[in-house]
Amino acid sequence: MEHRTISTTQIAAFQQHMQLEERAAGTIEKYLRDIRSFADWLGGEPLEKETAAGWKTCLRTSGLCPETVNSKLSALNKFFRFLEREDCCVKYLRIQRRLFRRTERELSRAEYARLLETANTMGRTRLALLMETICATGIRVSEVKYITVEAVNAGRAEVSLKGKIRTILIPGKLCRKLQKYAKKQKTVSGEIFLTRNGKGMTRRQIWAEMKAICQKAGVACSKVFPHNLRHLFARTFYRACRDVVKLADLLGHSSIETTRIYLISTGAEHARQLDRLGLVT
């Protein structure tokens, strides 16, 4: 069946399709946002290979990083395949594997400590404990809802996401802190991190609360977001055991190559190793 343009009905059908595939809510939201952005850019014009390629060119010249462009193209291509319009799929940008992480994006242990100290000083106990939980377990922000009273009492949480089930181990010290917090909040079962209305915290709420303490903590805003705590966990764990396979299991990755992305550093450690070679007289 040929689709000459993109309609809201098609987008709604694609949303339902992704829900049936049991895609994470955050993934669905991201895909729909990219598809609607393309539909707005298309402006009712016929959907053709040339127009899809035109959007790719527009993204490339808009100042977005190549990874972001490819992420948007991935959402678009999946939508095209759903519409049975594989003829409109566009090729991804070719990107050389990044060897080093930008300094302005890497969160250090010291900066993490300052964030925790600032949150506690400001009386934002929930935020401090939430950041500790993400960083000490390596969970995704979408998996925070699995940190329940029951999970804490058991010392482990069973996470079902992206069609996979994995066990998240919760360190003993963190369990005790979470149990104490739950008791103080009079939470006897279910999710531990709740809003004043008793609802689970959303990704956006967690992101906003972290950003709100950046300046006072003296940490660059570009470094402060939930997923960066997961990166810090990955780097710290790998330095301790040097086992990328075990780390991949903990992070819930099906590909070691995905895990390798988490281990990219700023290059400072590489530079120190080169200096120790003593090859410059």
Side-chain angles (χ1 to χ4, degrees), residues 119 133 168 201 207 274:
T133 300
I168 294 174
M201 296 183 69
W207 185 89
L274 290 175

Side-chain angles (χ1 to χ4, degrees), residues 9 11 36 47 49 125 137 144 155 180 226-227 255 269 273:
T9 302
I11 296 176
R36 288 176 181 133
L47 173 58
K49 172 73 173 183
T125 308
T137 60
V144 168
K180 183 178 178 180
H227 203 67
S255 169
E269 186 175 340
Q273 289 173 343

Side-chain angles (χ1 to χ4, degrees), residues 233-234 237-238 243-252 259 263:
F233 165 83
F237 181 90
Y238 184 73
D243 190 332
V244 71
V245 175
K246 188 176 293 184
L247 176 59
D249 289 339
L250 288 173
L251 294 175
T259 309
L263 302 179

Side-chain angles (χ1 to χ4, degrees), residues 32-74:
L32 295 178
R33 185 168 61 248
D34 291 339
I35 292 165
R36 288 176 181 133
S37 177
F38 171 70
D40 291 341
W41 179 86
L42 197 60
E45 291 296 315
L47 173 58
E48 303 289 352
K49 172 73 173 183
E50 291 73 18
T51 50
W55 194 57
K56 174 182 174 181
T57 301
C58 180
L59 293 174
R60 289 180 61 186
T61 57
S62 66
L64 295 174
C65 68
E67 292 86 353
T68 300
V69 172
N70 281 348
S71 176
K72 292 178 180 294
L73 295 180
S74 176

Side-chain angles (χ1 to χ4, degrees), residues 256-273:
I256 297 297
E257 287 306 308
T258 302
T259 309
R260 284 173 59 88
I261 295 172
Y262 282 66
L263 302 179
I264 293 173
S265 69
T266 60
E269 186 175 340
H270 292 73
R272 286 193 294 271
Q273 289 173 343

